[in-house]
Amino acid sequence: MTSTPTPTVGFIYPDHAAEDDYPFAAEMLGVDLPVVHIYGTDLHAVPELLDLGSPEKLAGGAALLAEEKPDAVVWACTSGSFVYGPDGAKQQAETLAAATGVPTSSTSFAFVHALHALGITRVAVAASYPEDVAKLFVEFLAAAGIEVLSMSSAGIDTAAEVGLLSPESVVQLAVENDHPDAEALLIPDTAMRTLGALSTLEQRLGKPVLTANQVTIWEGLRLAGHTAVNPSLGTLFEKGHSHGSD
C-alpha cells in the first residue's frame, strides 16, 4: 500500500497579525502550510483593501511561494477579497491561479465553500471590521445564497489591533454576537487568532463556528485534494466535512 503524499498548501498573508495560526494548524494536521507575506496600508478601509488585493501585490506573493512548490494556494485575506465583490473576487482567484499554476482561492470563497459543505444557509457574523466593510461581507455571502440573520461590527480599524485580541476577547466577541436562529457563527478576519479557541467557541455557542484562518486552511487542503481531520479545529474538521465541493 502506498502512502498519500503530504500536501503543501501555500498562503499569501497580508502584513503580520495572526499568521502563527498556520504553523499551529500544520502541526495538528500533519501537513505543510507555508506562509508568505505581502504588505499594504494596515487599515480596514475599502481603498486600502482594494490595493492590498491587487493583481500586482498577489503576483508578488505568488512569486515568493514558487520555491515551496505548493499543491494549492489561498489568498489568506477575507476583506481583501470580498471587497472586490463576487465577480471581482473570482477574477482575483483566477489571476492568481494563472500566476501559480495550481488551484487557488481566497478566504471569502473559503467561507462560502465551507458553509455549503456543512449544509448551512443561515448565519450570524461577528466582524472585527468597521461597519461599512463588514456590510460588504454580508453582501458577498448573500450573493452565494447565505442568509445573514445578524451582523455585528467591532469597528477595529487595523489588522494589527485585531491581532492583539486575547483568546478571552475572541470568545466574548463570539458569545455576545451570536443569533439564536443562526446555524453557525462566522468570524471573518485572518488577523484574529482563533484556532486555539475553536473548541471553546463551539462549546459555548453549541453550534459550528467558522473563523477566517480555519476556513482558509480547510479550503487550501480541499483544493489540494486532501482531507484532514482534527475535531479540536471545529466541526469543519470533523470526519467527512473536509470533502466539501464548490
Side-chain angles (χ1 to χ4, degrees):
M1 181 182 293
T2 58
S3 59
T4 303
T6 301
T8 297
V9 179
F11 299 93
I12 301 172
Y13 189 94
D15 296 289
H16 295 275
E19 64 267 33
D20 48 354
D21 265 358
Y22 292 82
F24 176 81
E27 183 174 353
M28 296 182 73
L29 298 171
V31 295
D32 189 12
L33 306 177
V35 176
V36 298
H37 298 268
I38 60 174
Y39 299 93
T41 303
D42 182 26
L43 193 63
H44 288 145
V46 171
E48 286 76 8
L49 293 169
L50 288 169
D51 175 69
L52 188 62
S54 67
E56 296 77 17
K57 285 224 165 68
L58 293 183
L64 291 172
L65 274 175
E67 66 183 40
E68 302 286 350
K69 295 181 169 52
D71 300 298
V73 169
V74 185
W75 166 221
C77 184
T78 328
S79 55
S81 46
F82 70 65
V83 74
Y84 279 84
D87 292 339
K90 183 174 184 287
Q91 180 62 52
Q92 185 185 59
E94 289 172 350
T95 301
L96 186 55
T100 61
V102 298
T104 67
S105 189
S106 65
T107 304
S108 294
F109 285 122
F111 272 108
V112 170
H113 297 157
L115 289 166
H116 289 169
L118 294 170
I120 289 171
T121 59
R122 293 157 59 84
V123 304
V125 171
S128 54
Y129 318 120
E131 187 172 1
D132 62 328
V133 175
K135 284 181 176 177
L136 295 177
F137 183 52
V138 173
E139 293 173 8
F140 189 93
L141 294 172
I146 307 299
E147 181 182 2
V148 178
L149 300 180
S150 65
M151 186 277 287
S152 63
S153 163
I156 301 176
D157 288 327
T158 68
E161 292 173 88
V162 175
L164 296 175
L165 292 175
S166 67
E168 294 78 17
S169 297
V170 172
V171 171
Q172 182 179 5
L173 176 74
V175 171
E176 291 181 353
N177 295 293
D178 188 24
H179 188 285
D181 296 328
E183 298 168 278
L185 176 74
L186 278 50
I187 305 178
D189 195 340
T190 59
M192 192 184 301
R193 289 179 182 84
T194 58
L195 297 196
L198 278 164
S199 292
T200 300
L201 287 167
E202 292 201 341
Q203 185 176 37
R204 290 287 300 274
L205 271 61
K207 65 182 64 173
V209 175
L210 300 182
T211 72
N213 288 328
Q214 174 210 38
V215 300
T216 299
I217 292 163
W218 175 87
E219 176 82 334
L221 292 170
R222 182 185 73 83
L223 291 175
H226 183 78
T227 297
V229 177
N230 192 317
S232 63
L233 291 177
T235 301
L236 187 60
F237 279 90
E238 289 180 356
K239 188 172 179 60
H241 289 311
S242 295
H243 295 284
S245 59
D246 292 7

